Amino acid sequence: MTDTREKRTGDLGHQLALLALVAVLSSVGFLHMFESVSAGSVPQRYMMALGAAGVLSLVVWIILRQLKSYANQNIFFGVTMLTLLGCMEIIRIDYENEGLGRASSAGFNQLVWFLLSLVLMGGTLVAVKDYRIFRKFSYISMVIGLALLFSPMVPGLGVSINGSRIWINVLGHSVQPAEFAKIFMAFFFASYLFDHRDRLAVGGKKIGALHLPRLRDFGPIIVVWAACMGVLVLQKDLGTGLLFFAMFVCMLYVATGRVSWIIIGFIFFVAAAFFASQVFSHVGNRVEAWLHPFDNHVYLAVGGSQQLVTGIFGLAAGGLFGTGLGQGYPALTPLANSDFIYSSLGEELGLTGLFAVLAIYTVIICTGIVTAIKVKDGFGKLLASGLVFTMAFQIFTVVGGITLVIPLTGLTLPYMAAGGSSLVANWMVATLLLIISHQANRPDEDTSSDTFAMAALEVINEKKAQEEKQKMLRSHRASREVASQAVSTATQFITDAESDTESDAEPDSTEPPTDTREQEEYDE
């Protein structure tokens, strides 16, 4: 008990230090940014929004500290720092767009979405006592996830932007439901794979080194996955489809422990990528831009490499330490505040700043991996690993696409890119990881302590009391059955006696007749 108190005291000091670090870095960054873009004056609406964000962040941290005290709070501080840094850069790009005659309020909107994310995190931490409750709603989660994926296809509800129909219109705002669908599908995949992991691992035929599952075990989940992929292909949202595919393969591998799933997944990925590049023109353009970005014909073509090359030049202009916040020209790159925000940060923070950003992401991902390893519940292990791998894969595809490692996928950087759907959904992912982390890091009860002995004695006494109560109920029920049987027997006896009495009262058929003629016949 003393060791636990000392550890928690040390954790509190560590958490306060991280809280102070996040507060100081974000405050200095915003002040420096506003000094560069607005002559040092902070507009009132930004001041109020940032103040509310600071207060809400402190409140959520206190809730997290009180209700989920064993959670690894590096996740909370990491996503908070990334979100504030993203808001800082988006506001800075808004000022540049305003100077270019393209008025935008994406930065202020991002702060509002940040406030909403904090409120939802606090409410979820209070409402969800145990993450395992989501296992009870696996098929409901599947239905909700599929409904969210299908919703942009509903006439009058879905909205097409840049050729992709992946948004819905809610109260005048564009919402991307696929960002939330991935959470519900993660619930379903984790629950189904946990329930069928043994049959998926050992059942079915073996072809060479590959161990295939039985169709009756693998069929339901492959149907759901195929439906997800089909909808995303129809919506031309192949980046999100790739994300779902990666999450599915990762959770299959964790559930079964078979490397064959990774091999099968890689084969499917290569085949699907080749097919998409041949069938979908925008995918083919991205592959061509990746292979020949500096070719003049590709650069000037519609959907060519102009955006990609402009982002690369922005990264090069940043050098080692960057131009400084407000000193670069990130708005020259199309979609600089969303798809290419990593390039914008690289221009103004330099290679050093980008490494710092990647270091924060690494801490979050490593914490999630450790959580998945430590948690003893199989459902939690699958859920945590699926969510963490999905985040890591998304970061890799975004950074890899901007730096010419892989073709662009159209995905956005978690917690930093402009977009309310992505920000809120990724904050809910962080909330789930915190809840699972709390369960994973909770110390086991000391079986030798007096507290544990008293608790065990209370449980035993309660169980005995329940057994005595059950025994009394059974005895009372048996007594009632005996009494009922006795009453039934007595009732039957009385009924039989009354029947006998009525039989005795009937006239005898051999009684002498009263008629004279009949009397004579009778005498004879």
Side-chain angles (χ1 to χ4, degrees):
M1 183 66 68
T2 304
D3 294 340
T4 303
R5 288 177 180 174
E6 291 177 355
K7 184 177 183 302
R8 294 193 64 185
T9 303
D11 289 343
L12 178 59
H14 173 72
Q15 293 163 11
L16 288 174
L18 287 177
L19 183 64
L21 180 63
V22 171
V24 170
L25 288 178
S26 58
S27 300
V28 172
F30 273 103
L31 289 175
H32 180 68
M33 184 269 296
F34 280 114
E35 183 179 0
S36 300
V37 299
S38 63
S41 63
V42 182
Q44 185 177 3
R45 63 171 185 166
Y46 286 120
M47 188 177 296
M48 294 179 61
L50 290 171
V55 173
L56 270 178
S57 298
L58 183 61
V59 171
V60 172
W61 176 72
I62 294 173
I63 293 174
L64 179 62
R65 175 75 188 175
Q66 294 298 320
L67 300 182
K68 302 292 184 288
S69 56
Y70 295 105
N72 194 324
Q73 298 187 16
N74 292 335
I75 298 174
F76 173 74
F77 293 117
V79 298
T80 302
M81 188 69 235
L82 291 173
T83 304
L84 289 172
L85 185 58
C87 292
M88 191 186 308
E89 187 64 24
I90 296 169
I91 294 172
R92 180 263 173 280
I93 294 174
D94 282 348
Y95 273 94
E96 186 178 355
N97 282 327
E98 186 177 353
L100 296 173
R102 303 191 300 256
S104 173
S105 60
F108 183 77
N109 292 337
Q110 192 76 354
L111 284 175
V112 174
W113 288 116
F114 178 36
L115 295 176
L116 177 61
S117 301
L118 288 170
V119 172
L120 291 176
M121 172 178 270
T124 305
L125 291 174
V126 173
V128 179
K129 307 298 182 183
D130 193 338
Y131 65 90
R132 287 171 290 190
I133 191 174
F134 296 112
R135 187 185 166 197
K136 300 178 181 179
F137 306 101
S138 59
Y139 286 96
I140 296 177
S141 299
M142 177 197 70
V143 173
I144 295 175
L146 290 176
L148 288 172
L149 287 176
F150 274 98
S151 59
M153 307 299 293
V154 177
L157 182 62
V159 179
S160 295
I161 301 178
N162 296 328
S164 297
R165 194 178 179 87
I166 58 177
W167 286 272
I168 59 175
N169 191 0
V170 179
L171 300 177
H173 295 278
S174 297
V175 178
Q176 191 173 352
E179 292 286 349
F180 302 96
K182 68 181 180 182
I183 300 176
F184 289 99
M185 297 312 298
F187 290 152
F188 169 69
F189 286 152
S191 178
Y192 186 89
L193 292 174
F194 175 71
D195 293 336
H196 299 81
R197 62 191 184 281
D198 295 332
R199 282 173 284 182
L200 289 171
V202 300
K205 297 180 180 180
K206 188 174 183 181
I207 303 176
L210 302 180
H211 202 106
L212 302 179
R214 292 176 299 187
L215 183 60
R216 63 183 180 183
D217 299 325
F218 193 59
I221 195 170
I222 200 67
V223 169
V224 174
W225 171 78
C228 295
M229 298 300 293
V231 173
L232 294 172
V233 168
L234 291 176
Q235 296 172 354
K236 297 183 180 180
D237 188 13
L238 300 183
T240 305
L242 179 62
L243 199 66
F244 272 73
F245 179 75
M247 178 177 67
F248 178 64
V249 173
C250 168
M251 296 176 76
L252 266 176
Y253 171 70
V254 174
T256 60
R258 293 193 173 277
V259 183
S260 57
W261 284 116
I262 298 179
I263 299 173
I264 295 173
F266 180 76
I267 294 172
F268 270 94
F269 166 73
V270 172
F274 178 77
F275 175 79
S277 64
Q278 299 298 316
V279 174
F280 301 103
S281 59
H282 67 288
V283 178
N285 292 336
R286 288 176 180 176
V287 173
E288 189 69 16
W290 170 58
L291 293 175
H292 310 286
F294 301 103
D295 185 277
N296 190 54
H297 177 71
V298 177
Y299 181 85
L300 296 176
V302 178
S305 62
Q306 181 180 2
Q307 180 187 29
L308 181 58
V309 171
T310 307
I312 292 172
F313 278 116
L315 285 173
L320 186 60
F321 298 105
T323 60
L325 283 171
Q327 303 299 320
Y329 301 95
L332 294 178
T333 304
L335 301 176
N337 59 5
S338 56
D339 292 21
F340 274 74
I341 193 169
Y342 190 76
S343 176
S344 303
L345 289 167
E347 181 177 353
E348 300 202 333
L349 299 181
L351 186 62
T352 305
L354 291 183
F355 279 168
V357 170
L358 290 179
I360 297 174
Y361 276 121
T362 303
V363 170
I364 296 172
I365 292 168
C366 290
T367 303
I369 293 173
V370 171
T371 298
I373 293 173
K374 291 179 67 176
V375 69
K376 297 179 181 179
D377 174 58
F379 172 73
K381 192 180 295 293
L382 285 169
L383 183 59
S385 59
L387 294 175
V388 168
F389 181 80
T390 303
M391 185 191 305
F393 187 79
Q394 186 170 352
I395 296 168
F396 168 74
T397 55
V398 173
V399 176
I402 291 175
T403 56
L404 289 180
V405 176
I406 60 174
L408 290 173
T409 58
L411 296 174
T412 56
L413 201 61
Y415 306 108
M416 303 192 74
S421 304
S422 175
L423 185 64
V424 174
N426 283 299
W427 266 82
M428 295 309 298
V429 170
T431 306
L432 291 171
L433 290 176
L434 285 170
I435 295 173
I436 300 173
S437 174
H438 169 71
Q439 190 70 25
N441 295 324
R442 289 184 64 178
D444 297 330
E445 291 285 351
D446 185 6
T447 56
S448 62
S449 65
D450 295 337
T451 304
F452 181 83
M454 292 296 294
L457 185 60
E458 290 179 1
V459 172
I460 293 173
N461 291 335
E462 184 178 356
K463 187 174 182 180
K464 286 184 177 180
Q466 291 179 354
E467 290 178 352
E468 290 293 333
K469 185 177 180 180
Q470 293 292 333
K471 187 182 295 184
M472 292 179 62
L473 288 175
R474 286 195 296 269
S475 177
H476 180 65
R477 192 179 297 112
S479 300
R480 290 181 61 184
E481 290 177 356
V482 171
S484 176
Q485 186 175 2
V487 170
S488 177
T489 303
T491 303
Q492 184 66 32
F493 178 77
I494 293 172
T495 303
D496 294 342
E498 290 177 350
S499 299
D500 293 341
T501 304
E502 292 176 358
S503 299
D504 293 340
E506 292 180 358
D508 190 359
S509 60
T510 59
E511 185 177 354
T514 56
D515 187 84
T516 306
R517 190 173 181 177
E518 291 180 355
Q519 179 66 38
E520 292 177 357
E521 293 178 355
Y522 179 79
D523 292 338
E524 290 177 358

